[in-house]
Amino acid sequence: MRRFYITTPIYYANDAPHVGSAYTTVNADALARWHRLLGDETKFLTGVDEHGQKVADAAEKSGFSPHDWTERMSARFLEAWDALGIQYDDFIRTTEPRHHESVQKFLGTIYDNGYIYKDVYQGLYCVSCEDYYTIESSDQGRCPIHGSDLTEMEEENWFFKLSAFEDRLIEYFDAHPDFVTPETKRNEAYSFLKSGLKDISITRTSISWGVPVPWDERHVFYVWYDALINYLTAIGYGRDDDEVEKWWPSSHHLIGKEIIRFHCVWWPAMCMAAGLEPPSHVHVGGWLLIGGQKLGKTMAANGGLKLTDIAPITLIEEFGVDPLRYYLLRETALGNDGEFSLEGILARYNTDLANNLGNLVARVTTVVNSKCAGVGPAPQLESTLRADAETAISESAAAWQRFAPQSALEATWRLIGSTNAYLEQHAPWKMESGAALDAVMGDALEAIRLVAILSSPAMPGVCDEIWRRIGLDGSPADQILEKSAVWGRYPGGRTVVKGDPLFPRMKSDA
């Protein structure tokens, strides 16, 4: 059986989730749902990164212990992902005993293999990134990502011999051209590799909120080396070798572009040092931007818009969960930066959802109820819509396979457009009841059935409702694509329900 193991980054528990983290998580969820449709054995992992200086500082500032603070923040993430319909298989917290066990086993193996040594670190540090910078890589002494002042640090650390893996990593990139996608992000990681690698600090003595170093109790692991290992913790590293062997060759990391170095250079080198193959694939997404600035916890843009103004649950209350999911998947290609706006969500809602999909379902169910006694006819096997449907199926499948939900939905919406045009051409609302009308309506119902399947990874709730309205049992998610995404499978003879508008048109407040 084919397998698909997809992970999101684990999100810092220093604040509540925002729409930027929702963007990555919804994309991962949709990809996992697509692979379940393919019949692949699928595992989807997300979670929270609860260690590090940034989390400890946030807890202290709010008057909580780190433990109590992370309990509150992890609950906020679980609440947000539940509201967004995120169907994860595992939600990991780095404070869990299983994770401590895996981290100590993994890094202990690297230590035993001779790739970790003690030295003194002196240089610049960004608490927000939990990352070190040289003066050359900084923005004149400020963090190039957050714009904040960097802190001068000096302390005894344990170091990982990253430099020892420079040649091996270059060879790996050369042998695996699709290890990092899209190509622009691969080129960025490869350029970093070719510029030369330096050994990196992996422990801290200045904080205690972290996973203890088993061979030196005065140290805890620096948060990134703890965090990266979560992908192995969730498949039983150090506890179940069979599960690791089962899932690791099918691993896909979905990340943001600000953490390319960690995932595309440091992490594969760490895996090599521990005697493992690197993850099979890393897909790097872009940033959502507001007014040209990154949408993140540390920046306000667009005239002072704050993160809490665009929290996922707030947007769900305004637009609904499936319209928000659709916008996040459709508006921006996964790999590019994209401009986020409330106006953009409204435009997609009214145009793509209300005018196109919603109008199609309303037209068809209304005519079937008024002229076919509420019973859906079967489609024609040689319909003129068939070629458009088969093109949509093949193009959608290819796009999901290359981590391009936007293109997959574009292909699906072309089928919606073709079906609406088909109805305009035949005008079934003007036709008399009979075989000719039944043929048109059967074709339209079949197109809707296929649209519901192809759209279900993006909008599972709405597609379940469409499935119900055209009289089908179960859910699109119950289907296996190879058997169900075939023209002519709408059975006919099913009760079709008109129902209320799927997407009542919304007006701008402006």
Side-chain angles (χ1 to χ4, degrees):
M1 175 180 281
R2 295 172 305 188
R3 296 189 178 94
F4 182 73
Y5 175 34
I6 187 165
T7 70
T8 70
I10 50 174
Y11 303 107
Y12 277 128
N14 67 316
D15 206 342
H18 60 86
V19 75
S21 47
Y23 170 67
T24 303
T25 308
V26 167
N27 272 280
D29 180 69
L31 286 159
R33 288 174 181 271
W34 176 260
H35 279 268
R36 293 185 189 112
L37 276 177
L38 292 178
D40 296 347
E41 188 175 4
T42 301
K43 181 183 285 290
F44 170 28
L45 171 69
T46 189
V48 285
D49 184 358
E50 299 184 325
H51 289 137
Q53 187 67 52
K54 185 161 57 172
V55 172
D57 288 351
E60 182 178 6
K61 183 178 179 180
S62 301
F64 291 92
S65 69
H67 173 270
D68 290 345
W69 176 257
T70 53
E71 287 288 318
R72 291 167 62 91
M73 287 301 105
S74 63
R76 296 284 294 277
F77 276 90
L78 287 165
E79 177 188 23
W81 298 163
D82 181 61
L84 276 168
I86 304 301
Q87 199 174 59
Y88 53 81
D89 297 292
D90 195 350
F91 183 92
I92 193 166
R93 299 176 57 188
T94 56
T95 51
E96 294 178 62
R98 61 169 174 161
H99 183 62
H100 282 228
E101 182 180 349
S102 290
V103 169
Q104 291 179 332
K105 172 68 173 177
F106 183 84
L107 290 168
T109 300
I110 296 176
Y111 176 77
D112 291 342
N113 289 344
Y115 293 113
I116 292 176
Y117 65 94
K118 186 183 287 187
D119 205 343
V120 174
Y121 174 80
Q122 182 176 11
L124 301 173
Y125 181 73
C126 174
V127 172
S128 295
C129 290
E130 298 278 14
D131 193 10
Y132 297 103
Y133 290 91
T134 63
I135 191 64
E136 293 79 15
S137 65
S138 72
D139 181 10
Q140 298 180 334
R142 299 174 68 83
C143 174
I145 293 176
H146 296 93
S148 53
D149 289 332
L150 296 172
T151 303
E152 184 78 29
M153 290 189 63
E154 180 176 351
E155 67 175 0
E156 178 188 85
N157 291 169
W158 288 92
F159 282 73
F160 170 57
K161 292 182 181 178
L162 180 63
S163 60
F165 294 90
E166 182 176 321
D167 291 341
R168 284 181 62 182
L169 286 170
I170 291 172
E171 290 173 5
Y172 190 84
F173 269 71
D174 289 342
H176 300 83
D178 295 327
F179 170 49
V180 179
T181 54
E183 186 177 4
T184 54
K185 302 303 191 294
R186 178 194 182 276
N187 292 343
E188 183 178 333
Y190 193 74
S191 177
F192 181 78
L193 265 178
K194 297 288 283 187
S195 69
L197 298 183
K198 297 180 179 179
D199 295 348
I200 44 180
S201 164
I202 65 167
T203 71
R204 298 283 299 278
T205 57
S206 57
I207 63 170
S208 59
W209 183 243
V211 179
V213 174
W215 64 84
D216 190 340
E217 62 184 14
R218 297 177 303 110
H219 291 247
V220 296
F221 288 115
Y222 165 46
V223 61
W224 268 106
Y225 300 96
D226 153 11
L228 287 163
I229 298 164
N230 89 90
Y231 307 126
L232 289 170
T233 299
I235 54 173
Y237 182 87
R239 304 180 309 281
D240 191 335
D241 292 343
D242 290 341
E243 282 294 289
V244 176
E245 184 177 344
K246 173 182 176 180
W247 288 107
W248 193 239
S250 305
S251 53
H252 301 263
H253 299 328
L254 183 59
I255 66 167
K257 67 179 184 178
E258 72 277 16
I259 52 178
I260 285 181
R261 283 182 300 139
F262 300 104
H263 284 80
C264 303
V265 179
W266 298 0
W267 179 225
M270 290 166 63
C271 290
M272 290 174 176
L276 282 178
E277 284 292 303
S280 66
H281 174 223
V282 182
H283 189 85
V284 185
W287 289 340
L288 292 188
L289 307 172
I290 299 179
Q293 294 190 54
K294 182 192 173 190
L295 177 62
K297 295 182 174 120
T298 59
M299 288 188 176
N302 197 20
L305 183 64
K306 294 182 175 62
L307 177 63
T308 52
D309 297 328
I310 46 175
I313 289 177
T314 302
L315 293 172
I316 290 168
E317 291 170 352
E318 178 71 17
F319 298 100
V321 57
D322 282 321
L324 176 58
R325 286 175 61 102
Y326 176 80
Y327 171 79
L328 293 173
L329 292 163
R330 178 70 190 274
E331 186 71 9
T332 303
L334 185 59
N336 297 344
D337 289 346
E339 190 73 17
F340 173 89
S341 70
L342 301 181
E343 294 80 7
I345 304 177
L346 183 64
R348 286 289 180 191
Y349 180 98
N350 283 331
T351 302
D352 295 7
L353 301 181
N355 291 356
N356 294 336
L357 176 58
N359 187 46
L360 172 62
V361 173
R363 277 175 152 182
V364 172
T365 55
T366 297
V367 173
V368 170
N369 272 271
S370 65
K371 300 200 172 189
C372 304
V375 178
Q380 305 174 88
L381 290 182
E382 299 306 322
S383 168
T384 57
L385 272 179
R386 179 172 181 167
D388 290 333
E390 291 174 345
T391 297
I393 293 164
S394 62
E395 290 182 352
S396 292
W400 284 110
Q401 188 65 31
R402 66 176 188 270
F403 278 55
Q406 182 195 48
S407 296
L409 292 171
E410 286 176 349
T412 302
W413 254 250
R414 284 193 288 274
L415 175 57
I416 292 171
S418 296
T419 309
N420 273 319
Y422 179 79
L423 293 176
E424 290 290 340
Q425 176 189 352
H426 291 281
W429 42 87
K430 296 180 181 178
M431 297 172 68
E432 296 295 327
S433 297
L437 175 70
D438 287 351
V440 172
M441 301 319 295
D443 291 352
L445 285 165
E446 172 65 342
I448 289 172
R449 183 188 72 87
L450 292 169
V451 164
I453 294 171
L454 297 178
S455 302
S456 62
M459 300 192 297
V462 164
C463 291
D464 282 356
E465 175 60 14
I466 292 171
W467 201 255
R468 184 189 71 82
R469 289 191 186 191
I470 62 175
L472 298 176
D473 299 326
S475 161
D478 301 335
Q479 309 305 303
I480 298 299
L481 202 73
E482 185 179 7
K483 298 178 180 179
S484 63
V486 178
W487 180 267
R489 297 296 169 87
Y490 183 75
R494 299 299 181 91
T495 299
V496 173
V497 179
K498 181 180 177 183
D500 295 329
L502 289 171
F503 306 101
R505 283 189 61 83
M506 299 181 70
K507 294 182 179 180
S508 171
D509 293 334

